[in-house]
Amino acid sequence: AIRMTQSPSSLSASTGDRVTITCRASQGISSYLAWYQQKPGKAPKLLIYAASTLQSGVPSRFSGSGSGTDFTLTISCLQSEDFATYYCQQYYSYPQGTFGQGTKLEIK
Amino acid sequence: QVQLVESGGGVVQPGGSLRLSCAASGFTFSSYGMHWVRQAPGKGLEWVAFIRYDGSNKYYADSVKGRFTISRDNSKNTLYLQMNSLRAEDTAVYYCAKDQRGYIPVWGQGTLVTVSS
């Protein structure tokens, strides 16, 4: 099974900061990677798919990059509403998908 | 608009059974594969099961294989998850989710399943 490892597990930042979250796959997954945002008590929300394609309606301050085994999610200018937990998901082994353990982004 | 609404969660004893339902609206349900994804309290997301648009193929996580059964009724726009031989570690919020060739653009609000004596 493909394992997904995110780093860091938690991150403190301030409004206006640029932050980067990393996701590493245990084997190559091409660009079959998605990123989700989840707020407490809510369902996850799709941000990015195919490693770098922004989902409709998602602000352009979110961006994704990478292919193969190493991927990043970058938020260019943090807004208050961006403080949440972020998950990566590989779907190379479709239809079985695997999620990373999550990165909690907190206010400094 | 596209909507998924889960129901059927609750408290069940270890070894018991429960059936979750997910009512879909706002899209052509019979054209899409569907997933169940769960999240234990305070933990991350875990993919549970997938069913193809026509119900012809079903896939399960090893952790639930042989105990859970995913099914669908396209005439009722409804997805199901039959959960048998429940264990404490099955306690989680269960989300139904619309597939888009692997990634998930639409999620339900979730339904909580608690396995406890």
Side-chain angles (χ1 to χ4, degrees):
Chain A
I2 300 174
R3 297 186 311 278
M4 306 302 292
T5 304
Q6 289 182 231
S7 60
S9 295
S10 63
L11 175 61
S12 294
S14 301
T15 304
D17 285 353
R18 176 187 180 93
V19 298
T20 298
I21 298 169
T22 297
C23 180
R24 175 165 288 175
S26 60
Q27 66 183 73
I29 59 169
S30 185
S31 295
Y32 295 100
L33 186 101
W35 289 97
Y36 301 87
Q37 176 194 68
Q38 187 180 34
K39 296 182 178 179
K42 300 295 186 181
K45 172 187 174 183
L46 176 67
L47 299 175
I48 287 168
Y49 61 94
S52 61
T53 302
L54 203 64
Q55 172 70 351
S56 175
V58 174
S60 58
R61 63 181 180 273
F62 291 91
S63 64
S65 66
S67 67
T69 60
D70 294 314
F71 302 86
T72 59
L73 172 70
T74 299
I75 311 172
S76 61
C77 182
L78 271 176
Q79 304 298 304
S80 58
E81 61 266 31
D82 300 336
F83 292 96
T85 300
Y86 293 84
Y87 294 93
C88 62
Q89 178 221 3
Q90 67 80 17
Y91 50 100
Y92 180 83
S93 57
Y94 178 72
Q96 293 99 328
T98 313
F99 294 89
Q101 82 279 13
T103 295
K104 187 173 184 180
L105 178 54
E106 299 175 301
I107 300 174
K108 185 182 289 183
Chain B
Q1 75 278 23
V2 177
Q3 192 171 14
L4 299 170
V5 179
E6 301 94 337
S7 60
V11 180
V12 60
Q13 291 188 338
S17 298
L18 209 56
R19 188 176 85 155
L20 306 183
S21 299
C22 170
S25 60
F27 66 102
T28 306
F29 179 72
S30 59
S31 295
Y32 289 88
M34 296 293 294
H35 300 269
W36 286 100
V37 177
R38 69 184 180 183
Q39 186 170 37
K43 302 299 184 182
L45 300 166
E46 180 187 16
W47 175 81
V48 173
F50 172 83
I51 186 168
R52 292 203 185 277
Y53 68 98
D54 59 357
S56 59
N57 292 92
K58 306 171 185 181
Y59 302 82
Y60 300 93
D62 288 344
S63 58
V64 307
K65 199 173 295 182
R67 300 187 300 122
F68 289 12
T69 300
I70 189 171
S71 63
R72 65 191 298 159
D73 185 337
N74 285 345
S75 68
K76 296 182 178 179
N77 290 344
T78 302
L79 176 72
Y80 302 100
L81 186 67
Q82 177 67 43
M83 304 185 294
N84 298 332
S85 303
L86 282 161
R87 307 166 179 167
E89 54 265 35
D90 296 319
T91 294
V93 173
Y94 284 74
Y95 296 100
C96 74
K98 175 177 175 278
D99 176 68
Q100 189 66 45
R101 296 299 294 172
Y103 62 92
I104 298 174
V106 181
W107 298 69
Q109 86 287 352
T111 187
L112 177 62
V113 173
T114 302
V115 184
S116 174
S117 54

